[in-house]
Amino acid sequence: WLALPQPGCGQGLRVEGRTVVDETGRRVTVAAPFRRIVSLYGAHTENLFALGAGDRVIGVSPSEDFPPEARQRPVFSYHDDPEKFLAARPDLVLTRPMIDRGYPRLVRRLEQSGIAVVSLQPGTVEEMALYWRALGLLAGCEAEAAAMTGEFRQAVAAMAALTAGVHPRPRVYFEAIHSRMKTFTPDSMAVFALAAAGGVNAAADAEPVRDTNIAAYGKERILSRAAEIDVFLAQVGPMNPVTVEAIRAESGFQALPAVRAGRVHLVDERLVSRPTLRLLAGIFEIGRVLHPERFTDEARALLPRTVRP
């Protein structure tokens, strides 16, 4: 029931020898590790630091918050003029597909100036190992990437074992965007975290909106499942700036037994929606909500020290 990341998984992304084929089909051959990297996505930055390549990161995206050292790097945005990037002399700019689609002029100018551009954004946990492997190849940290994958697998298995004998498991509606009544797709990282924490996805029939890990669900379907929802969980952050009070005050939500009983909880979206090692902390935080008697303070030792909440 719980799929762990396997080497070689992934849809658009591929690693062929010393060549990374990114999400757009762009091919970048790594003759030597890149040494001056601008990261335009917080997950890329966080992973590079986790791999020990933080000294190669010369620029980060706005609103970076982890690790603390990333805040000391110059800030770059895909809204910036290409000249700002060129003045910093990067040899690699890490983006994600939405930037390629929305800002082709910037990407084209960077590539015309001899700067490598690689677009990465895994959508599922099964794709994360390959994503980390690609980052490791680009930054010269291949052994560290393999070790990080192993560390992740070991911690997930250990936390899943905490609830191996628990039946029935709590049924959880996991909200992604409150204002639009959207949830997560069954193969999303957030639902993976929920399952690893010993929960059951109450919206397992959710279908993705376009090619994303977000699914339209709607209030009517949520209310029709009222009796099947033991816990109402919502990610909170820039994507979903919601409060417990707002959820409880939502029109019609008093029909949900979970809401009436006060079983409404929030979890930081950075811990459940990003392809980083901190997904382990997200699993643990959800476990604290669903099974506090098993996800104890002592159980935190199952997590790598760098991600312990």
Side-chain angles (χ1 to χ4, degrees):
W1 60 274
L2 189 60
L4 294 171
Q6 298 287 343
C9 293
Q11 297 177 348
L13 174 63
R14 301 194 305 281
V15 176
E16 301 174 349
R18 304 293 299 174
T19 297
V20 173
V21 183
D22 74 4
E23 306 284 358
T24 70
R26 182 187 292 113
R27 302 178 67 89
V28 175
T29 298
V30 185
F34 291 97
R35 298 184 178 278
R36 297 182 59 80
I37 303 171
V38 171
S39 166
L40 294 182
Y41 177 36
H44 297 335
T45 302
E46 185 174 332
N47 284 317
L48 287 170
F49 273 88
L51 291 171
D55 60 333
R56 301 188 176 206
V57 178
I58 65 164
V60 300
S61 61
S63 304
E64 295 274 2
D65 56 14
F66 193 86
E69 300 92 314
R71 301 172 187 166
Q72 302 168 10
R73 301 295 193 269
V75 174
F76 291 79
S77 167
Y78 41 78
H79 297 292
D80 290 336
D81 189 277
E83 300 303 323
K84 179 177 179 179
F85 287 83
L86 300 181
R89 298 181 294 108
D91 53 9
L92 172 65
V93 175
L94 288 172
T95 70
R96 48 182 174 159
M98 62 160 280
I99 299 175
D100 276 83
R101 292 191 299 266
Y103 300 87
R105 175 177 169 271
L106 170 63
V107 173
R108 185 166 55 250
R109 179 65 188 282
L110 293 174
E111 292 184 315
Q112 288 173 345
S113 301
I115 299 169
V117 177
V118 176
S119 180
L120 304 170
Q121 187 170 21
T124 68
V125 169
E126 288 77 13
E127 296 171 7
M128 275 199 338
L130 187 59
Y131 162 63
W132 290 343
R133 180 183 169 196
L135 286 179
L137 174 59
L138 293 167
C141 304
E142 295 172 83
E144 290 82 354
M148 193 158 81
T149 298
E151 189 173 40
F152 181 86
R153 289 172 57 85
Q154 182 178 358
V156 169
M159 285 190 285
L162 292 177
T163 60
V166 175
H167 296 287
R169 295 170 180 261
R171 298 163 296 185
V172 182
Y173 177 79
F174 203 159
E175 177 181 273
I177 304 176
H178 185 76
S179 63
R180 301 178 184 176
M181 294 294 154
K182 291 185 177 180
T183 186
F184 294 98
T185 57
D187 65 349
S188 66
M189 285 176 279
V191 170
F192 175 92
L194 171 62
V200 174
N201 180 20
D205 57 340
E207 297 180 356
V209 177
R210 296 184 293 276
D211 188 24
T212 71
N213 65 351
I214 304 298
Y217 211 66
K219 184 183 294 186
E220 184 176 341
R221 289 176 76 184
I222 296 172
L223 295 178
S224 72
R225 297 285 180 85
E228 303 171 25
I229 299 173
D230 301 312
V231 176
F232 193 107
L233 185 65
Q235 71 166 353
V236 62
M239 185 186 298
N240 193 37
V242 73
T243 64
V244 169
E245 292 73 21
I247 293 171
R248 296 185 66 183
E250 179 67 37
S251 173
F253 270 24
Q254 283 301 311
L256 295 168
V259 171
R260 291 200 306 271
R263 295 193 296 269
V264 178
H265 301 272
L266 307 179
V267 61
D268 189 333
E269 69 181 42
R270 295 168 298 182
L271 303 184
V272 295
S273 293
R274 284 187 172 185
T276 73
L277 205 58
R278 281 200 295 169
L279 186 60
L280 296 171
I283 295 170
F284 193 88
E285 289 300 302
I286 296 172
R288 295 277 280 182
V289 168
L290 304 182
H291 305 283
E293 75 288 351
R294 293 172 182 259
F295 285 81
T296 61
D297 289 340
E298 291 74 18
R300 293 182 194 275
L302 298 175
L303 299 176
R305 291 184 179 277
T306 55
V307 302
R308 288 181 191 173

